[in-house]
Amino acid sequence: MTAPSPALARPKPAPAAPAAWKPHHNPWAIALTVTLATFMEVLDTSIANVALPHIAGTLGASSEEATWVLTSYLVSSAIVLPISGWLSNRFGRKRFYMTCVALFTICSFLCGIANTLPLLIVARILQGAGGGGLAPSEQAILADTFPVEKRGQAFAVYGMAVVVAPAIGPTLGGWITDNFNWHWIFFINIPIGLISLYLSNRMVEDPPHLKERMEQAKHLKIDFLGLGLVALGVGCLEFTLDKGQEKDWFGSPMIVTFAILAAATLIFFAFWEWHHPDPIVDLKLLKNRNFGTAVFLQLVLGMVLFGSTVLIPQYLQGLLGYTAERAGMVLSPAGFVMMIMMFVAGRSLGKFDPRLMVCLGYLVTAIGIYNLTRLDLNAAFGTVTLWRMLQMIGLAFIFIPISTLNYVGVPANKTNQISSLSNFARNLGGSAGTALLTTYLARNSQVQQVALSANVVRGSVPYNLYMDRMKEMLMSQGMSAANASQMAIGEAYQQMLRQASMLSYKNAFAILACTIFLLTPLPFIMRLPTKTAKPDPEAMGGH
């Protein structure tokens, strides 16, 4: 009876099999496949911003009504982001991911053929639902496809798409809308979506632990209350952030109502999910020191990345008179610098302490953004382009290590939840950062106007000299003395407004730089990955 015991003892390592699971196809081919859809989704978002005036003009809508084309997409996408991990577990990640790609592609076609604003908004809501599920699924796929030591390089490939697409989006969007029409900004997604669907069907697969999780989920009841709460809470929060400045924040009863709804719903949602046996969003993961810190850092990264990407084009178009296409050309070289730095950061990850890399990344980014406070109303195209390139150097050393440290000490069956929460944090940071910066610019510009107007008095020697020179120039063009005097006053006022706006941008860059600098010690709170378990320690923890 004792003879069989050695044979029976041999299969004991079986539970560790999922850790050694490898995809049937080349991991790099899978990485490029899933990155394709990310590139398509992020590119479409940045292109739509540029085409908004054209859309408004063609559909006979006001500029305020046309902003619903952006708001509807953002709200829909924000709702899907936090629940995408749960949807992947319940329906299978590959199936959910391909559904998102298909929905995004079909709705891109519907957006392109829309001939009224309501139809376009409905199509954008559905497109946002598809787009919101792409990024979390892709990051989870990469985390499971690559072993721990290769994840940095995999996230570098993914990060290139996330950063390069917004950089080239305005340029491409401006060129398409100038040379064709705005319908084509949506039609260009169709071939990319079809290629992505074909490659995903052939290459992407669900690992064994995910299939087990899907089987277990079939026997669990769906938390409909949690789904309703997260949809309502996140939707109201995104609406509040997106429309706050436009509606004068809490001076508007509508914004007050949505803000209260968002706060009350999300607080109740957090309490409900914390005590639920099968939560839609597993908030208890935030107790993990690495993940909790990473979520906060992702939130700030979103504020910096999206905030600075919004501020610079606004500055160039509003104060220096650049077209959307030319403003996009300022951003594009920085995207290519980011591509190179992503590669460098990915290769460096296994050789240096990732926490030190994040710390240095924040320091370099803070210096780069603070350097933008030197911008003035006579800044040359080459100067702004160079400064934007310098600002982007450090971001790769933040994005990749954080994305990798996210998964340290977390079970493999939680990768879907990890990726959905971290992407939600980054997007929420982007929305909040954009809203706060836009509000700050508007309010601080008024403060600067008051300060500058104190110097615009008739007794001021510089003011009198400026007025005399302006009148002489206008009179030399054949204008009468009386008209030249009136015109000079108007020119002085316009110049004061531009200077006030410039100073508010400088202050906004300074605040961003100081905020990032204060974060430099935080990465050292996080734990390093264990070096003993080469295969994948997280996967071991899930079984």
Side-chain angles (χ1 to χ4, degrees), residues 319-356:
L319 298 180
L320 302 187
Y322 283 34
T323 62
E325 187 176 349
R326 189 162 172 79
M329 288 169 70
V330 171
L331 301 182
S332 298
F336 294 109
V337 167
M338 188 71 168
M339 280 179 68
I340 297 166
M341 298 315 295
M342 282 282 187
F343 176 76
V344 173
R347 298 286 291 177
S348 306
L349 193 60
K351 300 171 185 175
F352 301 99
D353 185 339
R355 300 170 302 179
L356 181 62

Side-chain angles (χ1 to χ4, degrees), residues 173-378:
W175 183 80
I176 289 171
T177 48
D178 288 345
N179 293 282
F180 299 96
N181 57 54
W182 64 265
H183 300 276
W184 283 97
I185 68 173
F186 297 112
F187 288 146
I188 60 170
N189 294 332
I190 297 168
I192 302 173
L194 293 173
I195 294 167
S196 177
L197 270 176
Y198 172 74
L199 293 175
S200 299
N201 186 47
R202 285 184 63 88
M203 294 191 181
V204 176
E205 54 192 307
D206 289 339
H209 70 80
L210 198 60
K211 291 175 182 175
E212 281 179 33
R213 174 68 181 158
M214 193 170 66
E215 286 300 318
Q216 292 167 6
K218 286 178 182 176
H219 308 293
L220 297 169
K221 289 182 179 179
I222 296 175
D223 179 14
F224 287 108
L225 179 59
L227 274 173
L229 288 171
V230 72
L232 180 62
V234 172
C236 290
L237 176 63
E238 190 66 41
F239 178 86
T240 303
L241 292 171
D242 195 58
K243 290 289 183 182
Q245 174 59 22
E246 185 184 306
K247 303 284 185 185
D248 193 29
W249 288 102
F250 299 114
S252 161
M254 181 194 289
I255 294 297
V256 171
T257 304
F258 274 90
I260 293 170
L261 257 177
T265 309
L266 289 174
I267 290 168
F268 181 56
F269 169 74
F271 176 80
W272 177 264
E273 293 296 289
W274 192 271
H275 296 94
H276 200 278
D278 183 38
I280 302 292
V281 181
D282 194 351
L283 295 175
K284 288 184 180 177
L285 286 170
L286 294 171
K287 291 195 296 184
N288 180 296
R289 193 168 74 191
N290 268 41
F291 183 60
T293 309
V295 164
F296 178 71
L297 293 176
Q298 290 275 23
L299 189 77
V300 179
L301 179 65
M303 292 177 72
V304 175
L305 187 60
F306 289 97
S308 62
T309 305
V310 167
L311 282 185
I312 294 173
Q314 277 185 0
Y315 184 91
L316 296 174
Q317 291 176 70
L319 298 180
L320 302 187
Y322 283 34
T323 62
E325 187 176 349
R326 189 162 172 79
M329 288 169 70
V330 171
L331 301 182
S332 298
F336 294 109
V337 167
M338 188 71 168
M339 280 179 68
I340 297 166
M341 298 315 295
M342 282 282 187
F343 176 76
V344 173
R347 298 286 291 177
S348 306
L349 193 60
K351 300 171 185 175
F352 301 99
D353 185 339
R355 300 170 302 179
L356 181 62
M357 287 175 67
V358 177
C359 176
L360 291 173
Y362 273 124
L363 189 61
V364 171
T365 304
I367 294 168
I369 291 182
Y370 189 77
N371 184 55
L372 293 173
T373 59
R374 295 163 61 198
L375 281 172
D376 57 37
L377 297 175
N378 299 311

